[in-house]
Amino acid sequence: MVIRSWIKHEQYGPDDPQAQCDAVLGAIRNADVSLRLAADTKQFHAELLDAVETLTGIAEERGELALANLVYLQMAILQGGVIELTGEQASAFAFIRDLPSGVRWWQNVKVTE
């Protein structure tokens, strides 16, 4: 795990097995979260592609900003974050809610005034 930089040798002393164990368990938890977020992102992308003809069609029908926001949303899902949209942008982007897991994906959208 040190070689792969999943843990740092500064996290524990050479004669501290509890700290070594804590570092390894922390790295495993982080890997688990990363794998879950990656699986969520893959599911989002699959649902999106099942729902639209083409990605360029989204830009043609809903505007280039909607297409850009899809990319931003996908990255937010991958990173466990959110994107911020104005009310007007959110209205144009609300088609995301129609996806099978749309309510779940919409949790990564924050509407600002």
Side-chain angles (χ1 to χ4, degrees):
M1 292 187 139
V2 172
I3 292 170
R4 293 190 177 262
S5 298
W6 294 343
I7 60 175
K8 307 281 186 227
H9 62 82
E10 299 89 26
Q11 292 177 271
Y12 55 85
D15 297 323
D16 190 350
Q18 184 61 51
Q20 293 171 7
C21 181
D22 291 344
V24 169
L25 290 176
I28 290 170
R29 277 191 288 277
N30 289 340
D32 183 49
V33 169
S34 295
L35 289 173
R36 181 183 50 78
L37 293 174
D40 288 350
T41 303
K42 182 179 176 183
Q43 181 181 351
F44 168 74
H45 193 74
E47 288 181 13
L48 178 65
L49 291 180
D50 285 345
V52 299
E53 291 280 326
T54 64
L55 292 178
T56 55
I58 292 170
E60 292 167 1
E61 293 175 28
R62 302 180 186 281
E64 294 175 356
L65 184 58
L67 181 60
N69 284 332
L70 282 173
V71 175
Y72 297 140
L73 179 58
Q74 188 168 350
M75 290 306 300
I77 294 167
L78 181 62
Q79 297 171 347
V82 298
I83 61 170
E84 291 186 4
L85 301 177
T86 65
E88 183 179 330
Q89 292 169 334
S91 293
F93 200 61
F95 68 96
I96 293 302
R97 293 183 195 175
D98 296 332
L99 296 175
S101 303
V103 172
R104 186 167 144 210
W105 309 134
W106 198 256
Q107 292 174 354
N108 296 88
V109 175
K110 177 181 176 185
V111 181
T112 61
E113 296 301 318

